[in-house]
């Protein structure tokens, strides 16, 4: 039987930080502009006036105080309110594109933590909620610039992208395709956000995470190692989180700023429908190992919003969770799509000791749920 372990994680955070106050200032200026431009129709009852947002509303609704974006200038431009491509972001053969650059930097940090070189890696799984392009694969571009061996693939699985990427990496190692795999998760979801929408303009931030996975018998004594005890994934179709943007968008005239080209969700329906699926899923996964939630020292959950996280943790524990039991990173990073649970794991595991167990679980559009039970060695 082949066992697989996590031996390193790494992150890369874009330098453009934006606070709730700054984002709300731009949104409220848009509200004034919109309401003035449509004043006659609003007074006639033909158009609904837009309402102001506030930093307090954003924090209460989400737990988010700030986030980092690949671009701030375009988001703050009232005539645009959508990201601009950063200089050099398209890349060339010599220089990596924006998403590859983010993935490479996160990968370097993960390799350093694991004590490995790029040449030790047999496969790259590049998995993200949004890909900068369809082909050539971002993973292959990362492979080229990083200097890893073997193969590289791209995956897209919404907010479950990182956990599904890890599951694919585990399966590659267990099947003998690779001995060591880099799961790279470069998230640029701010590019899909409608910054003119009060209910969603504040949600997402950008970040890249990377995870080194190895055949457990290759891990030398003294290196940090988290044995993967179990993986599990499930999907159930839902339209409640959706974007219609895709390769055929350009075939429709004037489609680029249509609302359905951006991230759209029915938040209340998602809360009501998805969270019971998640808590049932985790309970069944633990039961399959003859575990209960009491066997877990930590839950690194998808960082959707603070209310969803606390609901799931409370439901599983049967009580209010303590901060260390289900840590959140929402306040400084925002919702980072697939990266959230990996960020939480990366930043909140140093205090755990050998034998401690935890769950890394992501959930999102699809609906999709993916998780792994890990134990510190």
């Amino acid at each position: 039987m082949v066992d697989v372990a996590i031996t390193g994680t790494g992150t890369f955070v874009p330098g453009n930080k934006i606070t709730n106050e700054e984002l709300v200032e731009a949104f409220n200026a848009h509200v004034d502009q919109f309401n003035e431009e449509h004043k006659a129709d609003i007074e006639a009852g033909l158009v609904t006036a837009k309402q102001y947002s506030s930093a307090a509303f954003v924090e209460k609704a989400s737990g988010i105080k700030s986030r980092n974006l690949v671009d701030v200038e375009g988001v703050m431009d009232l005539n645009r309110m959508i990201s601009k491509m950063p200089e050099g972001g398209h890349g060339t053969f010599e220089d990596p594109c924006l998403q590859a650059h983010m993935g490479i930097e996160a990968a370097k940090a993960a390799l350093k933590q694991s004590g490995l070189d790029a040449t030790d890696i047999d496969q790259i799984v590049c998995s993200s909620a949004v890909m900068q392009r369809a082909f050539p694969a971002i993973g292959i571009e990362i492979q080229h610039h990083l200097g890893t061996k073997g193969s590289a693939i791209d995956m897209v699985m919404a907010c479950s992208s990182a956990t599904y990427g890890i599951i694919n990496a585990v399966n590659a190692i267990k099947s003998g395709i690779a001995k060591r795999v880099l799961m790279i998760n470069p998230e640029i979801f701010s590019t899909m956000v409608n910054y003119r929408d009060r209910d969603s303009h504040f949600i997402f931030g950008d970040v890249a995470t990377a995870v080194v996975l190895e055949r457990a018998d290759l891990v030398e004594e003294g290196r940090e190692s988290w044995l993967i005890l179990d993986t599990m994934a499930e999907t159930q179709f839902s339209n409640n989180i959706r974007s219609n943007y895709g390769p055929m968008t350009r075939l429709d005239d004037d489609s680029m700023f249509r609302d359905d080209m951006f991230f759209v969700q029915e938040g209340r329906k998602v809360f009501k429908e998805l969270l019971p699926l998640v808590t049932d899923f985790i309970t069944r996964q633990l039961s399959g190992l003859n575990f209960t939630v009491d066997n877990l020292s930590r839950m690194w959950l998808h960082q959707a919003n603070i209310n969803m996280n606390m609901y799931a943790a409370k439901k599983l524990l049967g009580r209010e969770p303590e901060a260390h039991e289900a840590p959140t990173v929402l306040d400084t990073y925002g919702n980072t799509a697939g990266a959230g649970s990996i960020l939480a794991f990366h930043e909140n595991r140093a205090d755990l000791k050998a034998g401690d167990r935890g769950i890394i679980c992501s959930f999102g559009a699809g609906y999709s749920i993916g998780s792994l039970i890990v134990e510190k060695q």
Side-chain angles (χ1 to χ4, degrees):
M1 180 179 176
V2 176
D3 288 326
V4 181
I6 293 172
T7 58
T9 59
T11 66
F12 172 79
V13 183
N16 303 308
K17 183 176 182 178
I18 184 167
T19 64
N20 289 347
E21 288 77 11
E22 292 169 315
L23 202 57
V24 165
E25 181 180 357
F27 176 79
N28 288 346
H30 161 69
V31 169
D32 287 335
Q33 184 183 66
F34 177 90
N35 289 346
E36 180 61 29
E37 289 177 357
H38 298 84
K39 184 176 180 180
D41 287 339
I42 291 171
E43 290 176 348
L46 301 175
V47 173
T48 302
K50 290 198 172 186
Q51 302 297 313
Y52 286 138
S53 184
S54 71
F57 160 74
V58 170
E59 186 173 350
K60 182 179 180 180
S62 65
I64 300 167
K65 297 179 181 178
S66 65
R67 76 288 292 145
N68 288 68
L69 308 179
V70 293
D71 174 73
V72 168
E73 182 181 350
V75 169
M76 300 289 283
D77 182 349
L78 292 185
N79 296 316
R80 181 181 177 89
M81 298 193 80
I82 189 173
S83 303
K84 290 182 177 179
M85 176 63 75
E87 185 177 350
H90 290 289
T92 63
F93 184 79
E94 292 79 18
D95 301 308
C97 72
L98 168 67
Q99 200 168 22
H101 166 71
M102 292 173 62
I104 289 166
E105 294 305 310
K108 288 178 179 177
L111 286 168
K112 182 177 180 181
Q113 190 178 91
S114 69
L116 299 176
D117 295 321
T119 53
D120 295 317
I121 301 299
D122 305 306
Q123 186 181 73
I124 285 175
V125 177
C126 183
S127 190
S128 179
V130 176
M131 285 297 177
Q132 184 170 340
R133 62 167 188 267
F135 51 86
I138 303 295
I140 298 177
E141 185 176 11
I142 292 173
Q143 177 192 30
H144 168 72
H145 290 285
L146 202 57
T148 61
K149 301 181 297 184
S151 63
I153 61 171
D154 279 0
M155 290 180 56
V156 175
M157 203 60 193
C159 287
S160 294
S161 290
T163 51
Y164 272 66
I166 290 174
I167 291 168
N168 273 265
V170 169
N171 290 338
I173 293 172
K174 285 182 175 292
S175 69
I177 292 174
K179 296 178 181 178
R180 297 184 175 97
V181 179
L182 251 176
M183 191 292 297
I184 300 176
N185 169 231
E187 294 289 6
I188 52 171
F189 206 82
S190 70
T191 60
M192 297 296 294
V193 173
N194 184 353
Y195 288 99
R196 294 179 172 90
D197 178 53
R198 184 177 184 269
D199 291 333
S200 63
H201 76 105
F202 55 85
I203 296 176
F204 291 96
D206 301 321
V207 72
T209 65
V211 178
V212 177
L213 299 108
E214 301 184 57
R215 211 174 67 191
D217 63 338
L218 299 178
V219 183
E220 300 90 345
E221 187 176 348
R223 290 170 57 204
E224 182 185 10
S225 175
W226 290 82
L227 185 67
I228 298 176
L229 302 179
D230 187 62
T231 62
M232 186 164 153
E234 285 185 2
T235 55
Q236 178 177 306
F237 183 70
S238 170
N239 268 319
N240 289 330
I241 309 172
R242 188 179 181 100
S243 169
N244 288 331
Y245 180 77
M248 297 182 71
T249 302
R250 60 191 175 87
L251 304 182
D252 293 336
D253 295 337
D254 302 320
S255 66
M256 292 305 294
F257 287 94
R258 220 168 58 208
D259 285 351
D260 65 315
M261 294 297 110
F262 298 96
F263 162 84
V264 179
Q265 74 168 347
E266 296 283 347
R268 289 183 177 86
K269 289 183 179 179
V270 172
F271 195 103
K272 183 178 179 180
E273 295 175 4
L274 181 54
L275 287 179
L277 295 177
V278 171
T279 53
D280 175 69
F281 173 99
I282 291 174
T283 301
R284 285 187 287 110
Q285 185 178 20
L286 292 172
S287 178
L289 294 171
N290 292 318
F291 289 173
T292 69
V293 71
D294 293 330
N295 294 110
L296 302 179
S297 299
R298 195 144 299 167
M299 293 182 284
W300 299 283
L301 302 177
H302 169 52
Q303 304 292 297
N305 70 52
I306 192 67
N307 300 309
M308 291 184 77
N309 281 49
M310 291 303 100
Y311 176 94
K314 181 179 179 179
K315 186 75 172 177
L316 290 163
L317 290 167
R319 56 175 171 78
E320 292 290 340
E322 297 182 31
H324 71 276
E325 292 177 304
T328 63
V329 294
L330 283 158
D331 56 340
T332 53
Y333 293 105
N335 182 334
T336 52
S341 58
I342 307 303
L343 272 173
F345 176 68
H346 176 76
E347 296 196 353
N348 295 278
R349 70 175 192 262
D351 61 310
L352 297 181
K353 61 185 184 300
D356 284 344
R357 302 184 184 112
I359 185 169
I360 304 171
C361 182
S362 297
F363 42 88
Y367 296 128
S368 61
I369 312 170
S371 75
L372 46 152
I373 309 293
V374 297
E375 180 179 285
K376 187 169 185 179
Q377 301 302 288

